[in-house]
Amino acid sequence: MPRLARHLLPDTATIAGDGRLSIGGCDVLDLVEQHGTPAFVYDEAHLRSRCREAVDAWGPGVAYASKAFLCKAMAALAHEEGMSVDVSTGGELHVALAAGVPADRLVLHGNNKSVVELTAAVDAGVGRIVVDSFDEIDRLDALAIAGANPQVLLRVTPGVEAHTHEYVMTGQEDTKFGFSLASGAAQEAVDRLRRLPGVQLVGLHAHIGSQIFLLDSFRKEVEVLARFFNRLGLPELCLGGGLGVAYVEGEQAPTMMEWAATVRESCAAMGVPDDVRLSAEPGRSIVAAAAITVYRVGTVKHLPEIRTYVAVDGGMSDNPRPVLYGSGYEAFLPRSTDADRTLRATIVGKHCESGDVLVRDAWLPGDLEVGDILATPVTGAYGHSMASNYNKVLRPPVLFVRDGLARVVVRRETYDDLLRLDA
Ligand code: LLP
């Protein structure tokens, strides 16, 4: 297997003559020395550049989908770089507000927002609420908080199912999200929202899926949405998130600019008026490639004629994606980043189940040994945010590196943290 493809590493990654990896001007092995393993290492310049690219591509309405990776530092960074922030629960709302993101720069999502969540959002003055069900319309009606006049988008299901490499049209949408265009539910919801005092319907929202490589899926989305949208005369249309990223050798994803250009062209072709505010909610494409996860190799087990197991000190608790979705990752040793990878191995974690696999068929340098630091690239999205304490394994810290300095933006958990909630 060839050396690790350079484009899978964060923007500021450099490889020294001896093969050692630096990110943000920080030597990764030095970081490990100081902060231990496992750890998420994010390239701050990379994060900022992706946020700026999103704003350039879409304008200031573009929201960072914080479910991909959220902590105070990340919410603040996205806001500083001009993005709005999409939160999909009261918890995400709480963190974004605690980070100092002004409420009017927040978009609240969720298919089952509670009265408490809606009240918190309206009280805070969130910029947009994306309405997802008739029950939610009832709740907003009942709330009718004095003086508040929240702006809402209606989430609709265009009946376009996006798959990573294809899309299919579904006559009948089968999803828990949004209102069906085909069944007339979307029209009924528009009518109800327009009659509701104290709520301003300003646009439509749709999200067709995640990790999408084919821009045609978005064309199809616009085609279906525009027919309905154009009749309503509303000022905003949000196309959701979903732009894919390359995780492994050989994958290539469209850029943010290509994505936005495709949507703009499709909208123009479908007669969506020029002055409509088009926006999107990228999550993965902002953060995924900005980070690597570093682990320490604890055991190497050669099972003759079967496979080699390389066990690291994390696993499905810091990256459940391989277990959940069969997602693929690359792996490498930051001490010899561009070494040839001749050892075929299965990288596993330390959890008490056989399914705890990080990389099923990894290629690693042949001289790998116990004690080595091993890294997986492109772990910035849906890793930390979906991390757990399974087996009471401590969640790793998050480091932001920039200009030779590392700051701990989320500290490593301690055993005491594990007892914090016990009565
Ligand atoms: N907007 C809405 C309404 C969403 O539901 C999502 C993702 C996004 C935006 C952001 O999508 P992105 O740009 O990140 O594709 N845990 C899965 C991904 C779940 C995505 C859920 N919704 C994974 O690890 O692949």
Side-chain angles (χ1 to χ4, degrees):
M1 191 61 173
R3 298 158 182 204
L4 178 73
R6 176 63 189 76
H7 73 276
L8 297 176
L9 290 172
D11 286 355
T12 70
T14 56
I15 302 169
D18 60 0
R20 279 174 75 126
L21 176 68
S22 288
I23 301 174
C26 297
D27 180 280
V28 168
L29 297 180
D30 289 349
L31 287 176
V32 164
E33 191 106 323
Q34 213 185 332
H35 300 279
T37 54
F40 291 98
V41 179
Y42 280 82
D43 178 355
E44 193 175 328
H46 183 126
L47 291 171
R48 288 185 186 277
S49 134
R50 291 306 179 281
C51 291
R52 283 197 292 269
E53 203 182 328
V55 174
D56 286 348
W58 292 100
V62 67
Y64 166 60
S66 68
K67 69 205 77 181
F69 163 55
L70 180 62
C71 60
K72 285 199 294 180
M74 182 62 213
L77 183 154
H79 171 61
E80 281 160 26
E81 297 300 342
M83 295 188 82
S84 299
V85 178
D86 143 10
V87 293
S88 56
T89 62
E92 288 179 357
L93 172 66
H94 184 72
V95 174
L97 288 173
V101 180
D104 65 358
R105 299 293 291 156
L106 298 177
V107 181
L108 179 69
H109 271 283
N111 69 301
N112 180 16
K113 305 177 191 74
S114 68
V115 171
V116 171
E117 287 172 317
L118 285 170
T119 308
V122 173
D123 273 351
V126 297
R128 299 282 183 279
I129 296 174
V130 183
V131 175
D132 200 288
S133 67
F134 288 113
D135 297 302
E136 184 180 345
I137 297 178
D138 292 342
R139 277 172 216 167
L140 283 169
D141 191 12
L143 272 177
I145 293 175
N149 193 16
Q151 299 195 317
V152 305
L153 302 177
L154 185 77
R155 177 159 181 177
V156 300
T157 44
V160 175
E161 251 179 49
H163 295 288
T164 306
H165 293 289
E166 63 184 84
Y167 62 75
V168 291
M169 286 287 292
T170 49
Q172 203 64 16
E173 305 92 342
D174 180 356
T175 170
K176 69 170 181 168
F177 294 108
F179 294 90
S180 156
L181 289 176
S183 75
Q187 184 61 57
E188 191 185 334
V190 167
D191 296 342
R192 282 193 55 188
L193 282 170
R194 283 188 158 154
R195 287 197 303 269
L196 212 65
V199 167
Q200 305 170 58
L201 175 65
V202 295
L204 291 189
H205 175 284
H207 171 78
I208 55 167
S210 199
Q211 182 60 358
I212 298 167
F213 282 133
L214 286 186
L215 292 177
D216 247 11
S217 301
F218 295 105
R219 274 191 203 103
K220 208 78 206 165
E221 180 185 12
V222 171
E223 272 171 32
V224 178
L225 279 177
R227 287 192 195 102
F228 183 66
F229 180 79
N230 287 347
R231 286 196 267 123
L232 303 175
L234 293 170
E236 283 184 36
L237 182 59
C238 177
L239 278 299
L243 181 64
V245 306
Y247 280 89
V248 293
E249 203 70 45
E251 282 182 338
Q252 223 188 336
T255 64
M256 188 74 67
M257 285 294 179
E258 289 166 343
W259 180 34
T262 299
V263 167
R264 272 181 212 296
E265 280 160 24
S266 310
C267 282
M270 289 300 296
V272 174
D274 280 353
D275 55 353
V276 164
R277 187 172 96 158
L278 286 179
S279 66
E281 288 160 356
R284 187 191 313 272
S285 50
I286 302 288
V287 295
I292 67 169
T293 308
V294 283
Y295 304 96
R296 190 177 291 276
V297 174
T299 66
V300 178
K301 230 175 241 183
H302 295 288
L303 305 188
E305 316 279 306
I306 303 177
R307 68 174 68 238
T308 297
Y309 282 100
V310 172
V312 298
D313 52 358
M316 63 193 288
S317 56
D318 60 75
N319 186 0
R321 300 192 68 257
V323 181
L324 283 174
Y325 319 115
S327 311
Y329 286 86
E330 298 282 341
F332 66 98
L333 303 181
R335 69 164 159 80
S336 32
T337 311
D338 50 5
D340 282 335
R341 296 178 297 166
T342 54
L343 171 70
R344 189 132 170 95
T346 294
I347 303 173
V348 295
K350 62 180 289 152
H351 296 276
C352 299
E353 58 178 278
S354 302
D356 175 25
V357 170
L358 283 171
V359 188
R360 179 152 302 280
D361 290 306
W363 286 100
L364 289 160
D367 64 351
L368 170 134
E369 52 187 28
V370 168
D372 264 333
I373 300 304
L374 180 152
T376 48
V378 201
T379 54
Y382 303 109
H384 177 265
S385 66
M386 295 204 298
S388 76
N389 279 132
Y390 182 39
N391 291 140
K392 292 289 181 254
V393 168
L394 303 176
R395 273 176 289 209
V398 177
L399 312 178
F400 275 16
V401 292
R402 180 189 184 181
D403 298 334
L405 293 175
R407 58 183 175 121
V408 179
V409 298
V410 179
R411 69 159 169 80
R412 185 182 304 286
E413 281 180 329
T414 64
Y415 287 145
D416 280 343
D417 287 328
L418 299 176
L419 296 167
R420 212 162 23 122
L421 305 180
D422 280 37

